[in-house]
Amino acid sequence: MTVRTRPDLETLPGYLPGRTIPGAIKLASNEVSLGPLPSVRGVIAEAAAGINRYPDMGVTALVDRLAAKLSVEPSRLAVGCGSVALCQQLVQAMCEPGDGVMFPWRSFEAYPIVTQIGGARAIKVPLTGAHALDLDAMLAAITDDTRVIYVCTPNNPTGTTLRRAELERFLDAVPRGPLVVLDEAYKEFITDPDVPDGIEVARGRDNVAVLRTFSKAYGLAGLRVGYCYAPEEVAAAMRKVCVPFSVNMIAQAAAIASLDAEDELMERCRVISAERERVRAELLAMGYEVPETQANFVWLPLAERTPAFNAHCLEQKLVVRAFGEEGARVTISTAEENDLFLAAARSFLVG
Ligand code: PMP
């Protein structure tokens, strides 16, 4: 018998990263274009000097710093190689073969991938006509063997965000059994006071976890570090299924330094969130449909015009993120780059 790989991988959707095109401006991956926070840069260079040694596998210093900052027990935290790795660990930690993993769709494209890799069954629940999570439909789709429910807020790629009352109503109605995972990758850009802090919401509940990342607002996408706040036994199981040493020592040091640079973070997020409102207002004035967004991106549900919009942006040397014939997601960047995008959006309508 010759070697063979898992037959079901034939149907595994590929993760399509935002493209980097030399000479073009990348607005395709919801990164910040400003780099790491200023005070973190030196720490990264210093940490690099120690990479002949293995990193601390328990990520102790970062976990302790996070626990103190968030006022949570360290035993309830799991740190991973980006929050996408934590998504995968959650499925591995929670699901036996064939168990259900629910997620809204369209949402973060890794959810179906980690579900299938983990041997679980995807339960995809379409968004509402307003591009928001359909919480009633999600409640109705819960089965006895649903183990994980991803709730992406703000939702990637549509930007729509759950307000406190609707989220709490949903959590109150979820039956005992599944773990609800609030994916807050874009949390730092939220300005609406009605949007709750996921950890505050999760605190009094034993079936809610929260995912966060240093990839977006903190500007550390290339270092790969994120964390999960979860019920203690879930966090422990996530640590068990983690690839040993997967959070490298530069990432650990940079994440700690980033947590110490709160003022720099807030200033950066304030500017980006204000730019988001400006870009959205200008797009609306041009006649585009743009759902309200609390993230560092806007969603243009252009349907069959999406490929042409994408091509037009590429001609202007702007890389946006097109999803088939659904729409385009565009990252908010500096005022100058946002202006270039707005000019492209305007000329698309003329062309
Ligand atoms: N969750 C959401 C909603 C995301 O959009 C992303 C990144 N695109 C991630 C998680 C993963 O981010 P990372 O692995 O870089 O932490």
Side-chain angles (χ1 to χ4, degrees):
M1 197 172 112
T2 60
V3 296
R4 52 146 268 211
T5 55
R6 279 168 51 179
D8 73 298
L9 295 184
E10 299 255 324
T11 60
L12 188 72
Y15 188 107
L16 299 174
R19 285 188 296 164
T20 302
I21 299 178
I25 295 170
K26 186 180 176 206
L27 304 174
S29 297
N30 303 336
E31 301 144 330
V32 292
S33 37
L34 307 166
L37 296 168
S39 63
V40 175
R41 291 170 201 170
V43 174
I44 290 174
E46 247 171 66
I51 59 170
N52 52 311
R53 302 288 177 196
Y54 282 96
D56 170 12
M57 199 170 105
V59 200
T60 331
L62 175 56
V63 166
D64 287 347
R65 183 72 185 83
L66 278 168
K69 190 179 169 84
L70 303 169
S71 304
V72 301
E73 288 295 314
S75 57
R76 298 195 59 172
L77 294 170
V79 179
C81 177
S83 55
V84 70
L86 293 164
C87 289
Q88 183 157 337
Q89 285 165 246
L90 271 163
V91 174
Q92 288 170 328
M94 303 298 295
C95 295
E96 293 189 90
D99 281 345
V101 174
M102 182 184 294
F103 44 87
W105 199 250
R106 184 168 280 279
S107 189
F108 180 34
E109 67 177 312
Y111 299 150
I113 299 174
V114 299
T115 300
Q116 190 174 333
I117 292 173
R121 179 174 49 84
I123 307 171
K124 285 188 181 185
V125 180
L127 300 178
T128 68
H131 316 286
L133 270 55
D134 191 339
L135 296 180
D136 289 337
M138 290 175 75
L139 283 175
I142 295 173
T143 55
D144 285 346
D145 62 358
T146 303
R147 302 277 168 245
V148 179
I149 302 175
Y150 281 108
V151 170
C152 190
T153 177
N155 186 48
N156 173 10
T158 58
T160 54
T161 310
L162 296 174
R163 305 304 191 273
R164 182 182 303 278
E166 55 188 332
L167 177 59
E168 290 194 337
R169 205 179 315 118
F170 173 75
L171 294 175
D172 288 344
V174 170
R176 307 297 300 167
L179 176 76
V180 180
V181 180
L182 306 177
D183 186 341
E184 294 191 327
Y186 302 96
K187 185 206 173 345
E188 295 81 6
F189 303 107
I190 294 172
T191 50
D192 182 341
D194 278 349
V195 176
D197 177 294
I199 291 184
E200 293 310 317
V201 171
R203 227 180 261 284
R205 301 176 185 267
D206 60 6
N207 62 344
V208 180
V210 181
L211 275 178
R212 293 195 182 154
T213 180
F214 288 92
S215 294
K216 306 297 179 184
Y218 288 101
L220 299 180
L223 280 180
R224 317 300 307 122
V225 55
Y227 63 94
C228 183
Y229 168 73
E232 195 169 316
E233 62 281 15
V234 174
M238 290 174 78
R239 287 193 293 270
K240 269 191 192 165
V241 300
C242 183
V243 172
F245 304 111
S246 62
V247 184
N248 72 72
M249 65 172 59
I250 305 177
Q252 295 188 32
I256 293 170
S258 297
L259 292 173
D260 290 336
E262 188 71 25
D263 290 351
E264 295 171 20
L265 176 78
M266 279 169 53
E267 173 55 17
R268 147 184 302 193
C269 291
R270 194 187 57 71
V271 173
I272 294 171
S273 303
E275 275 297 297
R276 168 189 76 211
E277 299 307 323
R278 179 179 76 89
V279 169
R280 178 166 180 261
E282 292 208 24
L283 290 168
L284 289 173
M286 288 178 216
Y288 284 96
E289 180 188 357
V290 192
E292 211 183 304
T293 167
Q294 288 286 301
N296 66 335
F297 54 84
V298 288
W299 173 244
L300 301 172
L302 292 160
E304 67 286 349
R305 289 189 299 160
T306 305
F309 183 82
N310 187 38
H312 178 76
C313 288
L314 277 175
E315 273 167 27
Q316 317 296 313
K317 299 227 173 306
L318 297 168
V319 187
V320 302
R321 186 66 192 276
F323 293 88
E325 298 209 335
E326 288 175 64
R329 190 193 67 199
V330 186
T331 305
I332 300 298
S333 182
T334 57
E336 196 185 14
E337 293 187 355
N338 296 335
D339 281 341
L340 292 172
F341 166 66
L342 287 169
R346 204 169 286 117
S347 56
F348 176 71
L349 295 175
V350 176

